[in-house]
Amino acid sequence: LAAACDANDAAAAAADASNAGANASAAALELAGDVLNATASGQANLTEDVAEDLLEVAAGAAAAGDTDGAADIVDEVLEQSSQNLDEGETVYFEGDGVVAGAAVANGTAATLDLGDGVVSVPAAATNGSAVTAVFWDDAIHDDGTDLASGELNVDVVATDVSGLDEAVELRFRVNVDPCATYRCVTWDEASKKWVEDVAVTVASVEEEGVACETTHLSAFAVAELAGSNDACAAASCRRFRATPGASLYASAGYGAWLGLQFAAWSLVAAFGTQQAAEVFGEAKEKH
């Protein structure tokens, strides 16, 4: 009981300290590591409250620029939390700007809905191990790329997933601009850049977001390329047609009315021109 209380208190203290600057964040990470060592050894339980306090520590570390420290904390929380999951079960934790979860496949796939990011991994790719995923509202990896989404990190516990026959499905809920082009990108650790990869492709772009498919697991996001695309003109036309009164403006009757208006004003203009010419002529004769 004392160990459990200590773990709760330590995790809470670490969470409180995590947003107090880089030095405090480093101390919070060390304390979080001590808590996870205690829970891993069975001296304390990794309760939901402890796990979510540790996610707050990870969020603070990410904000301070320590992406590796943040990822290590979240990965350990998920690995420990997934150990007691049965087939088809899931577990979720939330922190400030981060949602994490673990799932064991239900026979066909392991699916995790993290709010603005969803992942579905085929059961055959998991070898019975748990799938873990983390969605960061603000990508913790940054190279200046214009990202339309947050960052989705996906892994399978103790399993290397690459070269899959059946693709992993990723879905990002983003505000889609019909005049922009979207690309699914993955983080390349060697170059420290978001890159396009032949193994990561766009499956669809719809109003509710962008769907990607990948045959390997890593960190993923959606990049936005501003500018026109093939759907832009059609989308603009659809928006016009959806405008109140648009059907009237496009009707044959409205076109005929415009024609009559043009003809009438043309006659008025011609008459005015004739009258002006006559006045000018009379004035000229008098002089």
Side-chain angles (χ1 to χ4, degrees):
L1 178 61
C5 291
D6 288 344
N8 279 303
D9 292 343
D16 290 339
S18 62
N19 294 313
N23 291 334
S25 178
L29 278 176
E30 183 175 354
L31 186 54
D34 292 339
V35 172
L36 286 168
N37 287 335
T39 56
S41 65
Q43 295 177 318
N45 294 323
L46 184 60
T47 64
E48 181 178 351
D49 287 342
V50 169
E52 294 197 337
D53 280 338
L54 294 176
L55 255 65
E56 292 291 345
V57 175
D66 188 353
T67 56
D68 290 339
D72 288 345
I73 291 295
V74 178
D75 289 347
E76 183 63 24
V77 167
L78 290 177
E79 185 169 345
Q80 289 189 29
S81 300
S82 67
Q83 291 175 358
N84 297 321
L85 293 179
D86 293 325
E87 182 178 329
E89 289 187 335
T90 59
V91 62
Y92 292 97
F93 305 109
E94 293 186 35
D96 185 15
V98 57
V99 182
V104 175
N106 60 5
T108 57
T111 300
L112 287 164
D113 187 339
L114 305 174
D116 287 334
V118 182
V119 58
S120 182
V121 180
T126 69
N127 291 326
S129 297
V131 173
T132 61
V134 187
F135 187 84
W136 300 89
D137 290 346
D138 296 317
I140 61 173
H141 295 105
D142 182 19
D143 67 347
T145 298
D146 187 11
L147 298 179
S149 72
E151 177 179 332
L152 179 59
N153 300 341
V154 188
D155 199 4
V156 176
V157 175
T159 304
D160 179 29
V161 178
S162 61
L164 296 175
D165 293 330
E166 185 179 356
V168 173
E169 297 178 5
L170 311 171
R171 295 193 298 278
F172 295 86
R173 296 186 177 100
V174 300
N175 293 321
V176 171
D177 179 353
C179 291
T181 300
Y182 294 91
R183 295 286 183 266
C184 300
V185 293
T186 184
W187 180 255
D188 180 55
E189 193 60 37
S191 64
K192 303 295 182 183
K193 291 182 179 297
W194 288 106
V195 298
E196 293 185 56
D197 189 318
V198 293
V200 185
T201 58
V202 176
S204 65
V205 178
E206 301 175 351
E207 288 185 4
E208 61 270 21
V210 179
C212 308
E213 292 184 345
T214 177
T215 55
H216 77 278
L217 298 183
S218 179
F220 304 95
V222 173
E224 179 178 342
L225 305 177
S228 62
N229 60 29
D230 293 341
C232 184
S236 297
C237 186
R238 285 196 300 272
R239 286 198 298 272
F240 171 76
R241 288 172 180 165
T243 302
S247 58
L248 169 64
Y249 302 145
S251 67
Y254 183 74
W257 180 82
L258 282 179
L260 290 173
Q261 290 291 312
F262 178 77
W265 282 107
S266 295
L267 289 173
V268 170
F271 178 76
T273 301
Q274 181 181 358
Q275 292 296 308
E278 290 177 358
V279 171
F280 179 75
E282 291 176 359
K284 187 175 181 181
E285 288 176 2
K286 290 180 180 180
H287 292 285

